[in-house]
């Protein structure tokens, strides 16, 4: 069944209804073709009262939610239990006249319609890439901060230009998609101090490389 979600996106959805008949009189007299495969009319399998009402309810409830939403917001993908509860209640109200008692009304398939599926996939990939880069940048800043603190703990005094060079090189290495060879400007520090700085930076870069391999 093709429906339109809260944001106007066409979505393909299917569901299964589980029910039991509780009144033969209502099913035989009050409603024609109450549900598919009724014993007195077994050849009718489509277009029954229950099926039509279930489709109407499914469209109504599904249009109340977007297909997907940011974490913490309701969507068709995350509100399965709540959606089932709404579906059962609304369908029960509509089919009580047939004597049917609805037990479950569960979504079994959910996807974007073919005409927008590819575009939505690209959008999801773009959103995932943005989130990933944001995480990398945030982690990079923290690693650079840790590196500067580590240098201070080792009593290595750095000038403003040296700090700028270290920060620039570390951010370049950590945020880069490909391997790079950073050039560390130590601002004319002594060779002993330079060696200590390079040792600390190498340790930071090895940690970053280890984290990348684990991921």
């Amino acid at each position: 069944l093709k429906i339109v979600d809260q944001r106007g996106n066409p979505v393909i959805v299917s569901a299964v209804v589980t029910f039991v008949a509780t009144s033969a009189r209502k099913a035989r007299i009050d409603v024609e073709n109450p549900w598919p495969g009724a014993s007195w009319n077994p050849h009718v399998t489509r277009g029954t009262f229950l099926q039509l009402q279930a489709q109407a309810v499914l469209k109504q409830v599904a249009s109340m939610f977007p297909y997907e939403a940011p974490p913490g917001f309701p969507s068709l993908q995350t509100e399965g239990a709540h959606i089932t509860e709404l579906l059962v209640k609304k369908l029960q109200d509509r089919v009580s006249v047939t004597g049917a008692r609805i037990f479950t009304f569960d979504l079994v398939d959910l996807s974007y319609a073919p005409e927008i599926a590819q575009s939505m996939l690209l959008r999801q990939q773009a959103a995932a890439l943005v989130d990933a880069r944001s995480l990398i940048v945030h982690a990079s800043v923290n690693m650079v901060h840790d590196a500067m603190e580590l240098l201070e703990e080792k009593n290595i005094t750095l000038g403003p230009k040296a700090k700028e060079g270290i920060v620039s090189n570390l951010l370049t290495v950590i945020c880069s998609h490909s391997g790079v060879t950073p050039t560390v400007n130590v601002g004319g520090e002594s060779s002993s101090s330079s060696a200590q700085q390079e040792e600390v930076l190498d340790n930071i870069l090895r940690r970053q490389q280890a984290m990348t391999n684990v991921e």
Side-chain angles (χ1 to χ4, degrees):
L1 178 66
K2 181 182 289 189
I3 64 172
V4 177
D5 72 357
Q6 188 184 55
R7 295 174 180 170
N9 297 317
V11 175
I12 301 298
V13 61
S14 62
V16 172
V17 177
T18 304
F19 70 98
V20 64
T22 62
S23 174
R25 182 187 64 81
K26 289 182 178 181
R28 292 294 300 269
I29 299 175
D30 295 349
V31 179
E32 183 179 1
N33 298 327
W35 49 72
S39 60
W40 58 90
N41 208 1
H43 65 279
V44 178
T45 58
R46 299 179 64 86
T48 64
F49 184 82
L50 188 145
Q51 288 174 308
L52 294 176
Q53 296 303 316
Q55 291 177 3
V57 168
L58 186 57
K59 287 183 178 181
Q60 180 185 16
V61 173
S63 66
M64 298 166 58
F65 301 88
Y67 177 84
E68 59 181 342
F73 293 88
S75 70
L76 292 174
Q77 291 183 321
T78 61
E79 294 297 306
H82 180 50
I83 291 173
T84 295
E85 183 180 347
L86 289 175
L87 291 172
V88 170
K89 183 179 183 303
K90 290 181 177 294
L91 183 58
Q92 184 65 69
D93 293 341
R94 290 178 176 236
V95 301
S96 293
V97 65
T98 67
R101 180 183 177 188
I102 306 300
F103 289 132
T104 62
F105 192 166
D106 298 317
L107 299 180
V108 295
D109 188 28
L110 182 66
S111 62
Y112 280 117
E115 58 266 29
I116 68 166
Q118 185 63 31
S119 298
M120 287 301 173
L121 177 60
L122 293 176
R123 186 182 67 81
Q124 290 173 350
Q125 292 174 338
L129 179 60
V130 170
D131 290 342
R133 299 306 299 173
S134 177
L135 178 62
I136 290 174
V137 170
H138 181 74
S140 299
V141 172
N142 289 335
M143 293 178 69
V144 171
H145 180 266
D146 292 342
M148 302 309 297
E149 288 187 343
L150 187 59
L151 289 172
E152 292 179 0
E153 290 176 2
K154 290 183 173 291
N155 298 320
I156 299 176
T157 303
L158 298 174
K161 290 185 178 180
K163 290 182 178 180
E164 290 178 4
I166 292 174
V167 170
S168 175
N169 280 295
L170 278 176
L171 290 177
T172 299
V173 172
I174 299 171
C175 295
S176 176
H177 283 291
S178 57
V180 295
T181 303
T183 301
V184 180
N185 182 5
V186 294
E189 307 287 347
S190 66
S191 59
S192 176
S193 177
S194 298
Q196 288 180 311
Q197 295 170 29
E198 291 180 0
E199 178 184 356
V200 173
L201 293 176
D202 286 341
N203 290 334
I204 297 296
L205 294 180
R206 280 197 293 269
R207 292 180 189 175
Q208 190 270 335
Q209 183 63 41
M211 292 173 59
T212 302
N213 293 336
V214 171
E215 294 174 357

